[in-house]
Amino acid sequence: MTTTQAATFAPGSRIVVRDEEWLIRSVKTGTADGTMVKAVGVSEFVQDVEATFFTDLEDITPLVPEETDLIQDTSSRFRQSRLFLEAVLRRTPLPRTERGLALADRFLLDPLTYQQRPVELALSGLRPRILLADVVGLGKTLEIGLILAELIRRGRGERILVVSPQQVLEQFQRELWTRFAIPLVRLDSTGIQRIQQEIPAGRNPFTYFKRAIISVDTLKDAGQFGHHLDATTWDAVVIDESHNLINKGTQRNELARRLAAKTDALLLASATPHNGDKESFAQLISLLDPAAIANEKDYQASDIAHLYLRRTKISPEVRDQIGDRWADRGPSQALHCTATPIEEQIFDELTDVWLAGKWTDEPITGQHRLFPYTLLKSFLSSHRALHETVTNRRKKATGTERAALDRLAELTSAMTDTDSSKLKGLVDELRKIGVGKNSSTRAVVFSERVPTIKWLAEVVPGMLGLKPNAIRVLHGGVADKDEQTILQEFELAGSDVRLLFTGDVASEGVNLHQQCHHLIHYDIPWSLIRIEQRNGRIDRYGQKHQPQFRALILTSDRDDAKDDRTVAEKLLNREETAHRSLGSVEAVTGQYDAKAEEDRLVRDLLAGKSVDESYEAAHAEVDVMADLFGEVGTAPVATDVPQAKVPKLFDSTQDFVDAALYEIYEDRPEDHIDLRREDELMTFLAPDDLVHRLTDLPRTYLRAHREGEELRLKVTFDRALAQRKLDQARQSKTPMWPDIAFLSDVHPMVDWLVDKVLIRLGRQQAPVLTADVTAPTFLIQGVYANRLGQPTVVQWMAVSDLPAPPTIRPMDDVLREANVGPAMVNRAEAIAIDPLKDLLPEAVQVARQYLEGKRAEWAKANAEPLQRHREQLRTFQQASLLDELPGAHREKRRQRVDTTVQEQNDLLDRLETAGDPLLRVLAVLVPSQESAA
C-alpha cells in the first residue's frame, strides 16, 4: 500500500480487513512492515476484539465516503446521532497545530496555571520533550499527569512508560490513577512475578503492558530487559529523578539513551537536574533534543530554553497561586545536646589521634586523609554507627591503625543508651511535640546511617510508651514491596504509625506531608542539597500545617572538638536562609550534586577552612550554570495558558456518559449492568470488555471492587465527593486507594463508551436527523495527516445549499444554530433518503475541493516550525565542527553530528503533511416537515 493511501487512515475511521469491519484507534507509519494500524472490532464476529494490522502484511481497505449509507435516526431526541457525533469528536486526535490545552480543568486537582505551564511548553515544541526542573515540592507529578493526559487526548499517549526510583512507584501510580484516571501497571517485584505467570516465556513484557511504571534499578539491567527495550517503541517515556542519568557510561545513562531513541515524547523530571558541569548537563539535554547544543562546553540559556522549566516557591506565578495550599515553613531549630562523659572521651580520641593524624605510621595521602572524617560523621550520627564503621575497618587494619581502632571499639562498646545525649534529646523533643501513647501526632526522623536508624527504632518506642506497630523503619536494605507499604502506612491517618525512622532513601520524590509536619534530623548530612531534599518531604504543595524542622546538635566542652556546631548547625542555618531568600539552595552551594558538595567541604576542612569560608569561596566562583537556570520561570507571567477549541455536543462528560449508557443498554442499564445512582455516585457491574481495560490496575484494588465473580465500579463526576473519598482513603488503617474513582475525560470507562457508541451504527452508515436548517446539510470530517499518521489538519465542515452554489461553514456553528441538543424532539417524520443519497457524492466532492484548496495554506502553517528546525540543524552542523579537535576525534565527531542531522531531518520529513485527505460523512441534517410548511 502506498504512502498516500496509508495517510488516509485516521483514528475514528473504519476499515475492512479480512472481510470484517474495524474501528481505527491509532496509526503509525515507518515500521518494518509498513503502516501499523491499531483497531477494535466492529462487526459481529470480531466485536470488541483489539487487533494490530500492518499494510505490508494485510489488505486494509478504507471505506469510501461517497458510498456512505444514510440511515434515518429514529432514537428519542436523536440521541444516537448526537452520541455518534460526540464520539467522533472525542476519538479524533487534536491536530499537531493545536497547541492549546484541551483538558486543563477535567481532573481531580486544583487548576493552577503554574502547573499547566509545562504542558504549554511540551505542546509548543517539535516533539513533547522537556525537562521539568521545578524545585522540591511544587508538584512535578501533577505536571507530568497533565502532559500525559493531553497526549492521550491527541492520540499520542497510547503507550506510556514511567521510570522512577523504587520507593515512589506506588505513589506515582496512585497519583496518576486517582487524579487523572490514567492506569499504569506497576512492575515492581510483585509485578515481575505477574509477568512470569501471565505471559509466555521470552515474550516482550512491554508489548503486553501498554502503560507501565517500573523502577530505574530494575529496568537498567540490560541483560534482562535490554533486547525488549530495543524492540519496543513508546508514545511517551517519563524518567523521574533524572539527575541520576547524568554520568556517561553508567547503566542508567545507557538506559536513558535507549529509551530516548525509542519514544516520541520524553519527560525528564528532577529538582536537582545537573551536577554543576556544563558538559554533563549538555549530555542530559541531548536526550531531549540532540541538535540543541552544538558545543557542549559553550552554550547559552537561549539554546535550550524550549526544553526546560524551573521555578521555586518564590517564583511570582507560583507564589501568587499556591495561597493556602502550601503552608509557610517554620524555623529550623537546632537542639543542643551536651556530650556525656563517655562521649567526651570519644571526642578526645577523635581529636587527639584521628584528626591530628596520629592514627597511622604510614604517609596519609589520597582517600586515607578522609577516613578520620568518616569516623567523625559516624560518631555524630551515633555510637552504634561509629562502632560498625570501626568494626568494618578493623578487619583489614594493622599496626598503629589497628591499635587506634581498638581504642575506639573499646569506647563504643562501653557506651550505653543512657550515655547518648542525642537519644535523650530526641525523646524529650518527641514528647514535647506530642508524639506518644494516645496521640495522633507524627514525626519523621532522618539519619544517614543504617545502624543509627535500626537502633533508634529499637529503643525509642519503649521510651515513649509506643507499641511496635507505631514505628516504621525505612532504609536501602528494605525490600521494594515493603518499602512502598511503609510509605503508604505513614501517609494514612487511620494507621497506627506515629514515627518513621528513615535514611536518605526517602529524601527524593517521596510524599510524607499528608499526615505529618514534624521532621527531625537526628544527624545532619554535610550537604545543603541533601538537607533541602529531606525537608522537601513535608514542605511541599498540599501541606496544610506549618512544616517544623529540628536538628539534634551534639556539643562538646572541648574547644577544638569538631562537634555538630562545626558543620551541621551552620549548614542547617544556611539551608534555611537560602530557602527563604532564594527558594532553593543551589545558588549558594557552588555544587549541584550532594556527594560532590560534601567531598568539597571535607577537602576544605582538611585544608583548615571553616564551613563559612568553604561556602563563601564556592559562591564567589563563577557559576557556569547560573545563566542557564537563574531567570527561567522567575518573571511574572501575565498571560493565561491557551485553551484548545474543541467542538462538543454535550455540555459535560457526565451528560455524554449518561446518554451513552442509556443508548447502549436500550434505556435499561439498570437491568443490564445493575446501574445504581445515589446522589453523585454511580455504580454498575462492569462488562468483561471494560474489565479488560482496567487490568493494569493493582489486583488488590480490583479485588476490593468484586461482587462474587463480577467487578462493581464506583465512579463519580463530583470533584468534592472524589476528593472526600481520597481523603477518607488516607484516613484508613491499612493502605488502600479510594473506592470511588473520578471520571476524567481519559478514564477507561469514557474511552470504552466512545468505542461502544461508534460501533452502534452499521458499516459506513451515517444518521439522518431533522433539525433547524433550511436545506439538507451534510456534516463532513476532513483530516490531513503526516507520514506518522498524526493529524496535522482537522476540519469539521457543514456543506449545504446543494446543488446550487454550495456553502461550507464550521460544523459546530451549524449544530449550535440548528439547536442540535438534548431539547430536540424526534417526531419520526418520514424522510426521503434517496434524494439525499443523490446529493451525497457532490457534498463529498465539495468538501474535498475545499480541503485541497486550503491545503497549501495549512501545509505552510504546519511546515513553518519544521523549517525553523531545519535551519537550526544547519546551524548545529556548522557550529559542531568548529572545535579544533585532533584528526581522529574530529572525524568521529563529524560522523556523530552527520548521523544526528540525518535522523532529525528524517523525522522532519515524516512530520510534514502528506497524502490525500481523509473524508468522512458523519451525518445529514434536514429541515423538518413542520418547519418547511
Side-chain angles (χ1 to χ4, degrees), residues 46-93:
V46 294
Q47 189 166 8
D48 297 325
V49 174
E50 295 182 354
T52 302
F53 304 112
F54 294 87
T55 54
D56 288 355
L57 306 178
E58 301 276 1
D59 182 11
I60 303 176
T61 306
L63 300 181
V64 180
E66 287 87 350
E67 297 175 2
T68 302
D69 190 13
L70 303 181
I71 303 296
Q72 182 172 348
D73 184 355
T74 59
S75 64
S76 175
R77 301 183 184 278
F78 299 107
R79 183 175 64 195
Q80 186 180 45
S81 296
R82 293 186 293 110
L83 283 167
F84 174 72
L85 289 169
E86 177 74 11
V88 172
L89 290 167
R90 287 173 173 271
R91 177 60 68 223
T92 302

Side-chain angles (χ1 to χ4, degrees), residues 869-885:
H869 203 76
R870 290 188 194 278
E871 293 170 2
Q872 179 188 333
L873 283 173
R874 284 192 287 272
T875 302
F876 166 76
Q877 190 169 27
Q878 294 166 1
S880 297
L881 302 178
L882 294 179
D883 285 351
E884 295 297 329
L885 295 172

Side-chain angles (χ1 to χ4, degrees), residues 386-461:
L386 176 59
H387 186 78
E388 181 169 289
T389 302
V390 168
T391 300
N392 291 336
R393 182 81 172 196
R394 286 172 78 198
K395 295 174 182 177
K396 298 181 179 179
T398 58
T400 303
E401 180 182 348
R402 175 60 185 251
L405 289 169
D406 287 344
R407 173 59 180 159
L408 279 179
E410 179 184 345
L411 288 170
T412 56
S413 297
M415 185 172 166
T416 66
D417 294 345
T418 57
D419 294 320
S420 173
S421 168
K422 287 173 71 172
L423 175 62
K424 180 180 183 301
L426 173 65
V427 173
D428 288 347
E429 193 63 23
L430 289 172
R431 287 196 181 107
K432 182 178 177 181
I433 64 178
V435 176
K437 189 177 180 180
N438 301 323
S439 170
S440 62
T441 302
R442 301 188 186 198
V444 55
V445 180
F446 271 96
S447 170
E448 286 193 296
R449 309 288 169 150
V450 173
T452 303
I453 296 169
K454 292 180 176 179
W455 167 61
L456 292 175
E458 291 172 5
V459 300
V460 170

Side-chain angles (χ1 to χ4, degrees), residues 169 257 261 449 593 681 700 868 899 925:
L169 286 181
R257 299 202 167 275
R449 309 288 169 150
D593 175 82
L681 175 63
T700 52
R868 287 197 299 271
T899 299
L925 308 181

Side-chain angles (χ1 to χ4, degrees), residues 290-299 303 872 875-883 893 896-897:
I293 297 173
N295 185 343
E296 295 174 353
K297 298 178 181 179
D298 183 18
Y299 57 95
D303 297 327
Q872 179 188 333
T875 302
F876 166 76
Q877 190 169 27
Q878 294 166 1
S880 297
L881 302 178
L882 294 179
D883 285 351
R893 178 166 187 157
R896 187 171 66 249
V897 169

Side-chain angles (χ1 to χ4, degrees), residues 502-752:
T502 186
D504 289 325
V505 66
S507 68
E508 292 186 2
V510 174
N511 293 338
L512 300 177
H513 67 294
Q514 294 293 347
Q515 312 297 336
C516 175
H517 62 280
H518 294 288
L519 185 150
I520 298 178
H521 300 278
Y522 194 79
D523 51 48
I524 289 281
W526 286 11
S527 159
L528 296 180
I529 294 171
R530 189 66 75 193
I531 297 171
E532 180 181 65
Q533 288 174 334
R534 283 185 180 183
N535 289 350
R537 298 314 99 214
I538 66 168
D539 183 19
R540 56 196 306 107
Y541 176 76
Q543 175 61 267
K544 297 180 175 63
H545 305 281
Q546 186 183 66
Q548 301 285 327
F549 305 107
R550 296 166 177 81
L552 297 163
I553 303 297
L554 182 62
T555 65
S556 170
D557 288 337
R558 179 168 176 162
D559 291 340
D560 60 344
K562 292 189 182 300
D563 61 15
D564 273 325
R565 291 172 296 187
T566 307
V567 176
E569 187 170 9
K570 288 182 170 59
L571 294 184
L572 186 75
N573 294 334
R574 278 184 172 272
E575 189 276 341
E576 180 181 25
T577 301
H579 180 87
R580 293 191 184 283
S581 60
L582 303 171
S584 176
V585 302
E586 65 178 20
V588 298
T589 61
Q591 293 283 349
Y592 298 86
D593 175 82
K595 180 67 167 58
E597 181 191 356
E598 181 177 333
D599 289 347
R600 184 205 61 207
L601 176 58
V602 172
R603 288 196 300 271
D604 286 347
L605 293 173
L606 284 168
K609 292 182 181 179
S610 68
V611 170
D612 291 338
E613 289 170 338
S614 176
Y615 277 95
E616 285 164 7
H619 187 51
E621 294 175 2
V622 176
D623 183 358
V624 297
M625 305 302 288
D627 289 340
L628 297 178
F629 280 94
E631 298 302 319
V632 175
T634 60
V637 181
T639 58
D640 293 330
V641 174
Q643 305 295 305
K645 182 181 179 183
V646 182
K648 60 181 181 179
L649 274 78
F650 288 78
D651 290 337
S652 67
T653 299
Q654 180 174 2
D655 290 344
F656 169 73
V657 167
D658 286 342
L661 285 172
Y662 279 90
E663 173 66 21
I664 292 167
Y665 293 109
E666 298 172 349
D667 292 312
R668 297 302 302 170
E670 297 84 359
D671 297 336
H672 291 275
I673 56 173
D674 194 24
L675 179 67
R676 306 173 191 171
R677 296 178 184 275
E678 181 180 337
D679 297 327
E680 300 300 325
L681 175 63
M682 177 193 302
T683 78
F684 62 95
L685 297 176
D688 290 343
D689 53 343
L690 175 54
V691 172
H692 177 71
R693 299 181 187 224
L694 300 171
T695 53
D696 286 348
L697 294 170
R699 294 201 169 173
T700 52
Y701 177 80
L702 296 174
R703 277 198 299 269
H705 289 76
R706 286 283 177 188
E707 280 190 6
E709 296 299 317
E710 296 185 278
L711 183 71
R712 177 169 288 278
L713 285 188
K714 301 177 181 178
V715 297
T716 185
F717 290 97
D718 185 78
R719 279 188 177 85
L721 174 59
Q723 185 62 54
R724 210 159 52 241
K725 289 296 180 180
L726 181 57
D727 294 339
Q728 287 175 8
R730 292 175 178 151
Q731 300 293 323
S732 64
K733 296 182 72 67
T734 57
M736 62 178 293
W737 290 13
D739 61 341
I740 296 177
F742 182 70
L743 267 179
S744 78
D745 272 18
V746 297
H747 192 288
M749 177 187 171
V750 178
D751 197 55
W752 167 74

